[in-house]
Amino acid sequence: MSQKSKHSPKREETPSEPVEESAEGATERAKKVREEADDILDKIDEVLEKNASGFVKSFIQKGGE
């Protein structure tokens, strides 16, 4: 006897109506993403300010590398 799989293939759910984002919603989302990117860049700047010499030294080639 052959065994049938107990798992049915997953079906992608498609919305019955197309999702349209308003220009206002897209603007708000873009603003949020921009703020998050600025926060990340600020954190990187803080790390570099504290240990810039260590960061630079990690990129200096040493004889034959």
Side-chain angles (χ1 to χ4, degrees), residues 7-45:
H7 301 288
S8 60
K10 290 185 179 181
R11 296 181 190 166
E12 291 185 30
E13 294 183 25
T14 55
S16 57
E17 297 178 19
V19 177
E20 293 184 21
E21 186 174 8
S22 67
E24 192 173 292
T27 302
E28 287 298 316
R29 197 173 81 219
K31 182 179 177 183
K32 181 180 177 185
V33 169
R34 198 174 308 119
E35 288 173 355
E36 289 173 355
D38 285 343
D39 290 343
I40 291 170
L41 291 172
D42 288 341
K43 289 178 184 180
I44 292 170
D45 284 343

